[in-house]
Amino acid sequence: MNGRLPPGDPGAPDASGEDWHPETLAVRRSTPRTAYGEHSDALFLTSSFLQADAQSAAARFAGDEEGYVYSRFSNPTVAGMEMRLAALEGTECALATSSGMGAITLLMLGLLKAGDHVVCSRSVFGATIKLIGDVFGRFGVECSFVSQTDAAEWKAALRPGRTRLLFAETPSNPLGEVCDIAALAALAHDCGALLVVDNCFCSPALQRPTSFGADIVMHSGTKFLDGQGRTLAGALCGTRELIEGTLLPVQRSAGISLSPFNAWVVLKGMETLSLRVHAQSARALELALWLQQHPAVARVHYPGLVSHPQHALAMRQQSGQGGAVLSFDVAAADAQQARERAFALIDATRLCSITANFGDTRTTITHPASTSHGRLSEQQRTAAGIGQGLIRIGVGLEHISDIQADLERGLAPMA
Ligand SMILES: Cc1ncc(COP(=O)(O)O)c(C=O)c1O
């Protein structure tokens, strides 16, 4: 027993529905209602839970009796968010963490030891490269960084007996490169390793990595799951054995837990996830097509475009959608001009928010080389294909014409 099961009647209407569609699970999958019969999910803003007596407290702390004891271990609102996310990802369990990076930290702490080896795409989010490569490198975990798209490089990097994890992010941030989840899962399993997929860009509304063989799905709930830029959150989704058997005990000690309030925000955010992601993805495709023909734009990176090198794979893995994040290179003669033009374009916007987040209903614009990937060395950035003229757009829910007009203000003088 792990103390995570919610008390109450498991047959209550919102706790059932094994055969419901994802859209229904997103609004109906919840922990049972309290005795007050609240319609919206309750927020349990409490750090600890009363125990009936000393004997029962001892049994719950020892894990011999189900029940909540302390919110670092478990909390009903957090459990509700975990249930809903697991239902959407199609996994047995989910474990919420304080942020997306917190989820990767917990993953590494829970599954690896000194001497173990990880293979990771060199195109993943900058902080992920720092954390897996540098921080865990100091604790004796080695990492080989490989091409996002060339499965042969992943295979060549495997060290049988030592490689424990393959870590992929697809589509990648910010270039939208797509890796073949099924191919990487087969490589991982042949070598006795697990495949972890960061599913931030698509969210389960578009992509369920475990249906292609991934073992663990990682989330930054800060992105589409919340969807309105309100809170940091993260999660790991997988089998009960991995999540509750292996990772939960480590979280209990490490304290990388999600606040009930933040869990509640994400829980409510997920109710509109599918509608938002589909609408934002449709706008992103329209914007990508427009940018592609713009004379001031050198190249657009968006898996929804037929010209994208992994377009066919993306359509198979991502429910036929490109997602709501795209990036593009402004046309320029050299790196210095590229940076100046990228900055000028960002500064010319009045609608797009100049901020590094994405997955928000508000369109965001950022210069990855100096923000999200600014801590990487020039060599790491070049290897990841992130140039000085690259701009990333997290497409929101504004009218597409308004977004285009906002970008045109900066692009027109460069054309
Ligand atoms: C792809 C990806 N993974 C992980 C993270 C980290 O998530 P968080 O900011 O919630 O820690 C981010 C943040 O931007 C991201 O873009």
Side-chain angles (χ1 to χ4, degrees), residues 6-10 12-15 27-28 30-42 44:
D9 171 17
D14 287 356
V27 292
R28 290 287 176 178
S30 296
T31 48
R33 295 192 172 102
T34 71
Y36 295 111
E38 68 281 353
H39 186 223
S40 177
D41 302 273
F44 291 90

Side-chain angles (χ1 to χ4, degrees), residues 98-102 104 124-125 127-128 167 169 171-173 198 200-201 218-223 231-234 356-358 372 392:
S98 50
S99 68
M101 295 318 298
I104 303 176
V124 297
F125 178 52
T128 307
F167 191 100
E169 175 189 307
S172 64
N173 181 10
D198 179 335
C200 284
F201 257 53
M218 178 250 136
H219 272 289
S220 163
T222 319
K223 307 295 181 299
T231 183
L232 286 173
N357 202 20
F358 65 85
S372 57
R392 190 193 71 194

Side-chain angles (χ1 to χ4, degrees), residues 205-224:
L206 300 185
Q207 174 173 274
R208 277 181 165 196
T210 54
S211 62
F212 299 98
D215 302 284
I216 298 179
V217 181
M218 178 250 136
H219 272 289
S220 163
T222 319
K223 307 295 181 299
F224 292 100

